[in-house]
Amino acid sequence: MQRLAMDLRMLSRELSLYLEHQVRVGFFGSGVGLSLILGFSVAYACYYLSSIAKKPQLVTGGESFSRFLQNHCPVVTETYYPTVWCWESRGQTLLRPFITSKPSVQYRNELIKTADGGQISLDWFDNCNSKCYMDATTRPTVLLLPGLTGTSKESYILHMIHLSEELGYRCVVFNNRGVAGENLLTPRTYCCANTEDLETVIHHVHRLYPSAPFLAAGVSMGGMLLLNYLGKIGPKTPLKAAATFSVGWNTFACSESLEKPLNWLLFNYYLTTCLQSSVNKHRHMFVKQIDMDHVMKAKSIREFDKRFTSVMFGYQTIDDYYTDASPNRRLKSVGIPVLCLNSVDDVFSPSHAIPIETARQNPNVALVLTSYGGHIGFLEGIWPRQSTYMDRVFKQFVQAMVEHGHELSSM
């Protein structure tokens, strides 16, 4: 609120200077133009403050988790002020990768082997200069899972690492097979229904630092994968807590929304070409089991999944795969504290598919639902380069779980 007020004061000051030096004669000099500008500005400000800027809806399955968040993660109860000139879902979604900064991060890469002979690329940010947690064996570790075709280079991942660095934590990014430049050793990629690679990574990291608090955060498809893992394994995980952002809760609903003409044009077709590019680089690994020419002719994510992903992971039909991939089915079985941030205007995850009633039945789950924010957008402020609402939720929640998580077990 204070930052928004400061931004608005700055904008008003700049507008006043502009009018003072530039608006001197003619139509504007008469005062009519100035009155129109001021009238429009006041009307827009009233509309924005009454209809756009709102507190998120906090849905929890237990009073203790709700109180914990209000005490230690207050951002989830504060009014979210979307960027005043770009609050619509598609605008936020499209603009975020271009307008937000990309903090510089130096990674240490590690390739680990899998049971089937494959390999997974992990990018570590060790934070050896941490002043809060100088002992590496107990330094909190945050596992980060990027989106559908994302890697450790995504701006939202870099921001999470920068915020974790401020807290003194260590981060490790789980790059899905074949997307981060490493060779594909077996004819297998990834999907959000199959959690075997994630289980391998979690156990590997925990073996390295068994005494360190261990958390995870997943974005978009990475969040779907994380929730499916947590729903399958319940409380028997080394993770202390988890957070997800812009998760697609029901894969059927997500696909249907993204196939609407405008959404297909803006998002679906582009993401389909990204998926095709990621598998075409390893084309020689798949030709014996998959018709790659048919895959490369797909015009939507659903067609790609039908021709490639569902075949790759042995599903009889695309419906079988989409049913298994939807995390709403497993939310009731999550056994550790999980915070899930979604915007109800996200075209990737329609609001009617968000499992509000299921969340209310699990004391470990908290949904934070904003009215605006788009898909991995959550831009705020006049010029949102350095931080987003999503970033602030991430930072406050992981810090709350590391420093005060013990309070939940005693509530």
Side-chain angles (χ1 to χ4, degrees), residues 164-220:
S164 298
E165 179 183 16
E166 292 178 354
L167 295 171
Y169 303 166
R170 167 177 47 230
C171 290
V172 54
V173 184
F174 167 34
N175 297 295
N176 287 303
R177 293 198 201 191
V179 300
E182 79 282 7
N183 292 325
L184 204 61
L185 303 183
T186 58
R188 171 175 166 170
T189 54
Y190 60 93
C191 76
C192 58
N194 189 292
T195 61
E196 293 173 359
D197 283 358
L198 177 56
E199 292 173 32
T200 298
V201 170
I202 287 175
H203 289 299
H204 172 75
V205 174
H206 184 58
R207 281 196 301 268
L208 291 176
Y209 303 105
S211 301
F214 190 13
L215 300 89
V219 180
S220 191

Side-chain angles (χ1 to χ4, degrees), residues 276-287:
Q276 290 168 324
S277 176
S278 69
V279 299
N280 199 44
K281 290 184 293 187
H282 310 286
R283 186 186 185 106
H284 64 284
M285 299 294 293
F286 311 125
V287 291

Side-chain angles (χ1 to χ4, degrees), residues 80 87-97 146-149 156 218-224 245-249 254 258 267 271 301 341-350 370 372-379 388 390:
Y80 164 49
W87 44 262
E88 194 272 336
S89 171
R90 298 173 186 85
Q92 286 246 342
T93 304
L94 290 169
L95 190 62
R96 192 268 313 155
L148 184 60
T149 58
Y156 55 81
V219 180
S220 191
M221 196 214 77
M224 297 171 69
F245 304 93
S246 295
V247 157
W249 290 99
C254 299
L258 286 173
F267 307 112
L271 287 173
I301 296 173
L341 174 65
N342 278 85
S343 170
V344 297
D345 73 343
D346 184 353
V347 299
F348 284 71
S349 183
T370 60
Y372 297 92
H375 188 71
I376 328 176
F378 301 102
L379 303 176
T388 67
M390 184 177 101

